CSV table of all heavy atoms in Angstrom, one decimal:
chain,number,residue,atom,x,y,z
A,341,LYS,N,-56.1,-49.8,-7.3
A,341,LYS,CA,-54.7,-50.3,-7.1
A,341,LYS,C,-53.8,-49.2,-6.5
A,341,LYS,O,-53.9,-48.0,-6.8
A,341,LYS,CB,-54.1,-50.6,-8.5
A,341,LYS,CG,-54.8,-51.9,-9.1
A,341,LYS,CD,-54.2,-52.3,-10.4
A,341,LYS,CE,-54.8,-53.5,-10.9
A,341,LYS,NZ,-54.5,-53.8,-12.3
A,342,LYS,N,-53.0,-49.7,-5.6
A,342,LYS,CA,-52.1,-48.7,-4.9
A,342,LYS,C,-50.9,-48.5,-5.7
A,342,LYS,O,-50.1,-49.4,-6.1
A,342,LYS,CB,-51.7,-49.3,-3.5
A,342,LYS,CG,-50.8,-48.4,-2.7
A,342,LYS,CD,-50.5,-49.0,-1.4
A,342,LYS,CE,-49.7,-48.1,-0.5
A,342,LYS,NZ,-49.3,-48.7,0.8
A,343,ILE,N,-50.7,-47.2,-6.1
A,343,ILE,CA,-49.5,-46.8,-6.9
A,343,ILE,C,-48.8,-45.8,-6.1
A,343,ILE,O,-49.4,-44.8,-5.6
A,343,ILE,CB,-49.9,-46.2,-8.3
A,343,ILE,CG1,-50.7,-47.3,-9.1
A,343,ILE,CG2,-48.7,-45.8,-9.1
A,343,ILE,CD1,-51.3,-46.8,-10.4
A,344,VAL,N,-47.5,-46.0,-5.9
A,344,VAL,CA,-46.7,-45.2,-5.0
A,344,VAL,C,-45.9,-44.2,-5.9
A,344,VAL,O,-45.3,-44.6,-6.9
A,344,VAL,CB,-45.7,-46.1,-4.2
A,344,VAL,CG1,-44.6,-45.2,-3.6
A,344,VAL,CG2,-46.5,-46.9,-3.2
A,345,PHE,N,-46.0,-42.9,-5.6
A,345,PHE,CA,-45.1,-41.9,-6.3
A,345,PHE,C,-43.9,-41.7,-5.4
A,345,PHE,O,-44.0,-41.3,-4.3
A,345,PHE,CB,-45.9,-40.6,-6.4
A,345,PHE,CG,-46.8,-40.5,-7.6
A,345,PHE,CD1,-47.3,-41.7,-8.2
A,345,PHE,CD2,-47.0,-39.3,-8.2
A,345,PHE,CE1,-48.1,-41.6,-9.4
A,345,PHE,CE2,-47.8,-39.2,-9.4
A,345,PHE,CZ,-48.4,-40.3,-9.9
A,346,PHE,N,-42.7,-41.9,-6.1
A,346,PHE,CA,-41.5,-41.4,-5.5
A,346,PHE,C,-41.2,-40.0,-6.1
A,346,PHE,O,-40.8,-40.0,-7.3
A,346,PHE,CB,-40.3,-42.3,-5.7
A,346,PHE,CG,-40.3,-43.5,-4.7
A,346,PHE,CD1,-41.3,-43.6,-3.7
A,346,PHE,CD2,-39.3,-44.4,-4.7
A,346,PHE,CE1,-41.3,-44.6,-2.8
A,346,PHE,CE2,-39.3,-45.5,-3.8
A,346,PHE,CZ,-40.3,-45.6,-2.8
A,347,GLY,N,-41.4,-38.9,-5.4
A,347,GLY,CA,-41.1,-37.6,-5.9
A,347,GLY,C,-42.4,-36.9,-6.3
A,347,GLY,O,-43.3,-37.4,-6.9
A,348,TRP,N,-42.4,-35.6,-6.0
A,348,TRP,CA,-43.5,-34.7,-6.4
A,348,TRP,C,-42.9,-33.4,-7.0
A,348,TRP,O,-43.5,-32.7,-7.8
A,348,TRP,CB,-44.4,-34.4,-5.2
A,348,TRP,CG,-45.7,-33.7,-5.6
A,348,TRP,CD1,-46.0,-32.4,-5.5
A,348,TRP,CD2,-46.9,-34.3,-6.1
A,348,TRP,NE1,-47.3,-32.1,-5.9
A,348,TRP,CE2,-47.9,-33.3,-6.3
A,348,TRP,CE3,-47.3,-35.6,-6.4
A,348,TRP,CZ2,-49.2,-33.5,-6.8
A,348,TRP,CZ3,-48.6,-35.9,-6.9
A,348,TRP,CH2,-49.5,-34.8,-7.1
A,349,ALA,N,-41.7,-33.0,-6.5
A,349,ALA,CA,-41.1,-31.7,-7.0
A,349,ALA,C,-40.8,-31.8,-8.5
A,349,ALA,O,-40.6,-32.9,-9.0
A,349,ALA,CB,-39.8,-31.5,-6.2
A,350,PHE,N,-40.7,-30.7,-9.1
A,350,PHE,CA,-40.5,-30.7,-10.6
A,350,PHE,C,-39.1,-31.2,-11.0
A,350,PHE,O,-38.8,-31.5,-12.2
A,350,PHE,CB,-40.9,-29.4,-11.2
A,350,PHE,CG,-39.8,-28.3,-11.2
A,350,PHE,CD1,-39.0,-28.1,-12.3
A,350,PHE,CD2,-39.7,-27.5,-10.1
A,350,PHE,CE1,-38.0,-27.1,-12.2
A,350,PHE,CE2,-38.7,-26.5,-10.0
A,350,PHE,CZ,-37.9,-26.3,-11.1
A,351,LYS,N,-38.1,-31.1,-10.1
A,351,LYS,CA,-36.8,-31.7,-10.3
A,351,LYS,C,-36.2,-31.9,-8.9
A,351,LYS,O,-36.8,-31.5,-7.9
A,351,LYS,CB,-35.9,-30.7,-11.1
A,351,LYS,CG,-35.7,-29.4,-10.5
A,351,LYS,CD,-35.0,-28.4,-11.4
A,351,LYS,CE,-33.5,-28.7,-11.4
A,351,LYS,NZ,-32.7,-27.6,-12.0
A,352,LYS,N,-35.0,-32.6,-8.9
A,352,LYS,CA,-34.5,-32.8,-7.5
A,352,LYS,C,-33.9,-31.5,-6.9
A,352,LYS,O,-33.7,-30.5,-7.6
A,352,LYS,CB,-33.4,-33.9,-7.6
A,352,LYS,CG,-32.1,-33.4,-8.3
A,352,LYS,CD,-31.0,-34.5,-8.2
A,352,LYS,CE,-29.7,-34.0,-8.8
A,352,LYS,NZ,-28.6,-35.0,-8.7
A,353,ASP,N,-33.6,-31.6,-5.6
A,353,ASP,CA,-33.0,-30.6,-4.8
A,353,ASP,C,-33.7,-29.3,-4.8
A,353,ASP,O,-33.2,-28.2,-4.7
A,353,ASP,CB,-31.5,-30.3,-5.4
A,353,ASP,CG,-30.6,-31.5,-5.1
A,353,ASP,OD1,-30.9,-32.2,-4.1
A,353,ASP,OD2,-29.6,-31.6,-5.8
A,354,THR,N,-35.1,-29.4,-4.9
A,354,THR,CA,-35.9,-28.2,-4.7
A,354,THR,C,-37.2,-28.6,-4.1
A,354,THR,O,-37.6,-29.8,-4.2
A,354,THR,CB,-36.2,-27.4,-6.0
A,354,THR,OG1,-37.1,-26.3,-5.7
A,354,THR,CG2,-36.9,-28.3,-7.1
A,355,ASN,N,-37.8,-27.7,-3.3
A,355,ASN,CA,-39.2,-28.0,-2.8
A,355,ASN,C,-40.3,-27.4,-3.7
A,355,ASN,O,-41.4,-27.4,-3.3
A,355,ASN,CB,-39.3,-27.5,-1.3
A,355,ASN,CG,-39.1,-26.0,-1.2
A,355,ASN,OD1,-38.7,-25.4,-2.2
A,355,ASN,ND2,-39.4,-25.4,-0.1
A,356,ASP,N,-39.9,-26.9,-4.8
A,356,ASP,CA,-40.8,-26.3,-5.7
A,356,ASP,C,-41.6,-27.3,-6.5
A,356,ASP,O,-41.0,-28.2,-7.1
A,356,ASP,CB,-40.1,-25.3,-6.7
A,356,ASP,CG,-41.0,-24.3,-7.4
A,356,ASP,OD1,-42.2,-24.5,-7.3
A,356,ASP,OD2,-40.4,-23.4,-8.0
Side-chain angles (χ1 to χ4, degrees):
K341 290 183 180 167
K342 181 175 181 184
I343 301 175
V344 168
F345 271 29
F346 278 0
W348 190 264
F350 81 97
K351 62 186 282 197
K352 73 172 179 177
D353 292 338
T354 177
N355 60 349
D356 196 349

